[in-house]
Every structure is written in C-alpha cells, then in structure tokens.
Amino acid sequence: GIRTVAFCDHGHISLQGRNFTDFTPRYPEVRPLARELGARRVILDGEVVAFDSEGRPSFERLQSRMHLASDSAVKRRVRDTPVTYVAFDLLYLDGFSTVSLTYEQRRELLEALELDGPAWRAPTYHSGEGSALLEATRKLGIEGIVAKRLDSTYQPGGRTSAWLKIKNVCEQDVVIGGWTAGEGGRSKTLGALAAGVFDDGKLSYAGKVGTGFTEQTLALLQRELEPLRSDSSPFEGRQPP
C-alpha cells in the first residue's frame, strides 16, 4: 500500500503522503470517513490499499490509481479499482496528541472509533504468535508482517527498532545464460546478467539481474564469462528482449 496520514476535522479530511504530497483528490472514496467521524478531530496513520479478488493487497492494482492527474480519470478508476484506507495507528484524538502513549493504548483508542466502512477499516492486531502469523501470510501469498513493541511510543518522522517489517523471501536457483553490456559508469564491464530457469528440460529466459554488484564482483564475472561467449543463445524457450 501507500503510507498515508489522514487528518479528519469536523467532517473534512486531508490525506497526506510521506513527502507531504496531497493524496486527497486521488482517493475520493475515502473522503466519507471524515463525515463518519462527525465532529471529532482525529489524525490516523495507515495505508491506502487496493485488494485483489481474493482479498489480498495488490500493489499492481494500486499502481493504476497512483498517478492519475484528472478528476475524470480518478472517477473511472474508482469504479473498476476501488481502494481502502487501512488505519493501523492513532496520533491525535479530540485535542490531545496520543504519540506518547504506548502502542497498546493507542490501539485501544483506535478500536473504540469503530472504523468499519465501505472504503476504510482498522484491522485488529495480534499479541504474540508472530511465527504463526508469518507462516499464515506466506501461505496466503502476502508480503509479510509488521511486528511492533506493545510498549513503544510513536516516533514521528523516523524509523525505530520498535517497528520491524518481516518479509517472506522467495528463493529460486537460476542459470546465468548471458549478459548485457554496461552503460554510463559501467560501460567497460557488464550491465546485467541474463538468468534462466529450466522448464520441461529447456532453459527459458527468466529476467535480468543488474544491481547489487561490487566493482570486484563485476570484474570477476567479466573474467569468468568472457571465455564462454557464444554466437548462439542458450535459451530454448522464452528469449530475452
């Protein structure tokens, strides 16, 4: 999703991104949240999320809503790609800052707001059972979990060890089938490795790997791969572009 702070004040709402970008016009279906809160003054921390047909967050679907410039384009997308504001923290409530409260206390106040509407929600959190939750997300094909210390305060504008994002990591063995020439500062060495996977006994192109290399690694790869240069492609199935 897209990290978004929601400012709700007497029926009016403002959605603000990390760099103070105004997201309010992009996601009109979230605006009624402020009217639902009525005269309350609330600041929420959360994410704008687009769910797929199985109820899982889909960043691919959300991308079609992220950079729309016109109101007409936004209205068209609202119908076929609706979003939901998922609130996971409460920073301010009716004249009082809550950032110095513990996470448990903030969540208790957040749940008391009963945010459950057509385009907004505040899912419950689970205390403990982190390993089981992570395994459940892996089976569901979800990115992972965020673990938070129950006694932690909210630290605006910074990352702390009290919040940890734990991702499910997928691994696969691939075969280096070739490389592309480098550009710019890497014009004298390779730019990316062309990797493949075996499918029914045939080596099919899977994609390029061009980041994470040190200068030493690039030199080693160039030295090892150059003698193996061939005029024919090793890929029998899908070919690199």
Side-chain angles (χ1 to χ4, degrees):
I2 300 177
R3 187 78 173 270
T4 307
V5 175
F7 299 84
C8 302
D9 187 356
H10 290 79
H12 299 280
I13 191 170
S14 174
L15 302 175
Q16 189 177 97
R18 288 180 182 270
N19 299 319
F20 306 104
T21 305
D22 183 13
F23 288 161
T24 314
R26 298 184 190 178
Y27 308 111
E29 62 265 57
V30 181
R31 294 176 193 169
L33 165 60
R35 293 197 294 271
E36 182 76 13
L37 289 169
R40 310 203 72 166
R41 300 174 64 196
V42 175
I43 300 178
L44 303 166
D45 190 0
E47 288 194 346
V48 173
V49 175
F51 293 103
D52 64 16
S53 59
E54 297 182 6
R56 298 173 301 189
S58 171
F59 192 71
E60 182 179 1
R61 285 177 58 83
L62 184 60
Q63 283 180 311
S64 66
R65 293 287 305 274
M66 288 170 55
H67 305 294
L68 299 179
S70 68
D71 290 341
S72 59
V74 169
K75 290 178 181 178
R76 287 194 298 271
R77 285 298 184 182
V78 166
R79 293 191 293 269
D80 55 40
T81 311
V83 301
T84 300
Y85 183 67
V86 180
F88 52 68
D89 215 327
L90 177 67
L91 313 186
Y92 183 92
L93 179 62
D94 295 333
F96 298 95
S97 170
T98 61
V99 297
S100 61
L101 300 179
T102 67
Y103 180 70
E104 277 189 306
Q105 291 171 325
R106 300 195 309 274
R107 287 295 312 211
E108 183 177 349
L109 293 172
L110 176 61
E111 291 173 5
L113 293 175
E114 298 182 346
L115 301 180
D116 185 14
W120 57 88
R121 66 181 67 172
T124 58
Y125 72 99
H126 297 270
S127 179
E129 302 179 348
S131 297
L133 288 171
L134 183 62
E135 176 63 17
T137 63
R138 186 190 66 80
K139 292 180 178 179
L140 291 171
I142 298 175
E143 183 181 4
I145 61 174
V146 176
K148 305 179 182 181
R149 287 181 58 94
L150 296 178
D151 60 354
S152 64
T153 60
Y154 189 94
Q155 301 295 322
R159 293 175 180 263
T160 73
S161 59
W163 290 27
L164 298 176
K165 188 173 184 177
I166 304 170
K167 294 184 178 182
N168 292 307
V169 179
C170 298
E171 297 181 347
Q172 182 177 25
D173 291 330
V174 299
V175 176
I176 298 175
W179 72 92
T180 61
E183 299 178 354
R186 284 167 57 172
S187 59
K188 295 182 179 180
T189 183
L190 61 86
L193 298 176
V197 295
F198 280 104
D199 183 15
D200 292 331
K202 295 182 179 181
L203 184 63
S204 296
Y205 174 70
K208 296 179 181 178
V209 181
T211 59
F213 299 123
T214 64
E215 293 296 327
Q216 183 178 6
T217 302
L218 288 170
L220 174 62
L221 286 169
Q222 187 76 24
R223 186 169 63 251
E224 294 291 330
L225 294 175
E226 188 63 38
L228 304 176
R229 183 187 290 272
S230 172
D231 293 332
S232 60
S233 172
F235 302 109
E236 298 183 53
R238 181 188 170 206
Q239 295 288 326

